[in-house]
Amino acid sequence: MSSTSSLKRSDLTIPIVLFAVFWGIAILLWLTTGRIFYLFNFGYIGAALAVGLGVYVALPARKKPLGRRLAQFLVGAYMLLFLGLLQRENMQIEGFFFYLLAGIFAGSVIHYLVAKVAGVLIFNRGWCGWACWTVMVLDLLPFKRHKTEPLPAPWWGLRYVHFGLSLGLVALLWWGLGYRVQEQSLIELYWLLGGNLLYYATGIVLAFTLKDNRAFCKYICPIPTLQKIPARFALLKIAGKADKCTDCGACNKMCPMDINVSGYIKNNQRVLSTECVMCLECVNVCAKDALFANFAVDKVRNSSHSF
Ligand code: SF4
Ligand code: SF4
Ligand code: SF4
């Protein structure tokens, strides 16, 4: 494993790589499909994320989370309002399945493939930390640093049940009732609105019940089902210097996904947990500058800290 970047030291490696990858995709899709929409769409998202990361790098430690909030709103609001409400793309996971079945190369399909599957191999679950429109709202709630223990293992399986139910519903409608998705139809818009309202309502109730803004991400959201395998092999992860770590535990307490960050660092590993959403809260809170984010390839070995 090699240390290649440290956001705390104002290294702009990650925003530059991210900007370059998104603009590469934008130009490639524009040239191959002839649709200038792709140039605008991916160019905008890459620029918005790079700006958010750049602001994160530039701000002093206490204010750094504002950079992430900025990126969340620039990307999340754009996708929900422009792609969802104006373009009537069903961005819910069921919409992704429907468009796939219909062979429609819609924005929703590209979004899922880039942000939630292939892109995870490079940027890990950065989507969940920096761009998701559900957490854009849930992160406004007052339980950023939850103080209760996470729920036991069976609860973490609910997301797989949710994924299975979504897939089953799509299969029933498609093969059982002959439903066929239509681009930019009102039904897809209602599905998007209804699905999102349900997500927001469930997320808010869970956050207040469990005193945890990220409870919806941990227990209910089906998206990690797609992300977890590529996340294990992601190039971008949190790394650390074991000799600098004093085992103070601040990173573990700050982590919104309940990851034993210091356990990985003491074990001379990067944070291999596929729950990591690359929010950088652990990096920011470490008073010893022991943590940083870097691009590297991890050796395959057993880890007692992995989910
Ligand atoms: S787990 Fe789901 S709700 Fe949470 S940030 Fe990721 S995609 Fe959004
Ligand atoms: S905050 Fe830093 S010093 Fe403290 S346990 Fe985490 S990595 Fe170690
Ligand atoms: S390990 Fe660090 S970057 Fe990953 S979710 Fe926890 S606090 Fe965020």
Side-chain angles (χ1 to χ4, degrees):
M1 180 193 315
S2 64
S3 303
T4 53
S5 67
S6 164
L7 289 176
K8 278 196 165 176
R9 292 178 210 127
S10 301
D11 190 325
L12 291 171
T13 303
I14 294 172
I16 289 170
V17 170
L18 197 140
F19 186 83
V21 167
F22 271 83
W23 270 88
I25 294 170
I27 292 169
L28 186 71
L29 284 172
W30 173 45
L31 292 178
T32 50
T33 66
R35 289 185 64 189
I36 198 152
F37 164 77
Y38 290 124
L39 189 66
F40 166 73
N41 182 61
F42 286 99
Y44 171 82
I45 294 171
L49 289 171
V51 165
L53 271 161
V55 169
Y56 177 97
V57 168
L59 286 176
R62 276 184 52 237
K63 300 212 164 140
K64 280 188 186 298
L66 287 176
R68 195 168 64 81
R69 303 293 295 140
L70 177 65
Q72 272 179 333
F73 274 93
L74 287 176
V75 180
Y78 160 75
M79 299 205 70
L80 198 55
L81 298 178
F82 181 74
L83 292 185
L85 300 189
L86 292 180
Q87 299 279 314
R88 295 183 185 173
E89 288 262 354
N90 186 351
M91 307 295 285
Q92 293 297 100
I93 192 163
E94 297 85 9
F96 168 57
F97 293 145
F98 276 129
Y99 291 125
L100 269 187
L101 281 171
I104 298 173
F105 196 54
S108 171
V109 172
I110 298 169
H111 161 66
Y112 272 79
L113 293 181
V114 171
K116 292 165 178 170
V117 183
V120 180
L121 286 168
I122 303 173
F123 298 113
N124 208 333
R125 289 178 62 191
W127 164 263
C128 292
W130 290 76
C132 171
W133 58 80
T134 306
V135 155
M136 170 184 84
V137 171
L138 297 181
D139 261 356
L140 295 172
L141 301 176
F143 313 109
K144 288 185 179 56
R145 199 175 167 176
H146 72 104
K147 299 191 173 65
T148 52
E149 285 295 308
L151 294 178
W155 291 95
W156 294 73
L158 280 179
R159 51 171 58 149
Y160 303 110
V161 174
H162 184 171
F163 186 88
L165 288 175
S166 293
L167 206 53
L169 178 63
V170 169
L172 176 71
L173 288 172
W174 186 269
W175 283 292
L177 301 176
Y179 174 74
R180 291 295 178 265
V181 66
Q182 287 172 10
E183 283 188 274
Q184 302 197 319
S185 73
L186 267 180
I187 293 180
E188 300 312 314
L189 176 63
Y190 293 148
W191 194 304
L192 171 78
L193 289 176
N196 268 289
L197 285 176
L198 201 59
Y199 278 20
Y200 285 136
T202 311
I204 290 168
V205 169
L206 271 179
F208 277 93
T209 306
L210 299 174
K211 307 275 181 281
D212 181 358
N213 284 359
R214 286 274 178 174
F216 181 81
C217 300
K218 293 173 197 167
Y219 310 120
I220 303 291
C221 181
I223 302 302
T225 310
L226 296 171
Q227 295 171 315
K228 280 177 85 71
I229 291 176
R232 174 61 185 82
F233 301 100
L235 298 179
L236 182 64
K237 287 194 180 82
I238 300 298
K241 293 179 180 151
D243 56 333
K244 280 192 167 187
C245 175
T246 55
D247 226 356
C248 69
C251 51
N252 303 342
K253 282 192 198 125
M254 186 56 93
C255 177
M257 299 305 287
D258 305 316
I259 296 167
N260 180 3
V261 183
S262 60
Y264 283 106
I265 304 312
K266 286 292 183 190
N267 207 25
N268 288 312
Q269 289 178 301
R270 297 203 299 167
V271 174
L272 299 177
S273 169
T274 52
E275 293 301 317
C276 178
V277 293
M278 293 307 300
C279 64
L280 304 180
E281 294 290 341
C282 54
V283 176
N284 199 27
V285 80
C286 180
K288 299 295 175 189
D289 276 345
L291 298 174
F292 51 93
N294 74 347
F295 292 100
V297 176
D298 299 287
K299 286 188 191 133
V300 178
R301 60 173 171 169
N302 290 333
S303 166
S304 55
H305 304 286
S306 296
F307 278 94

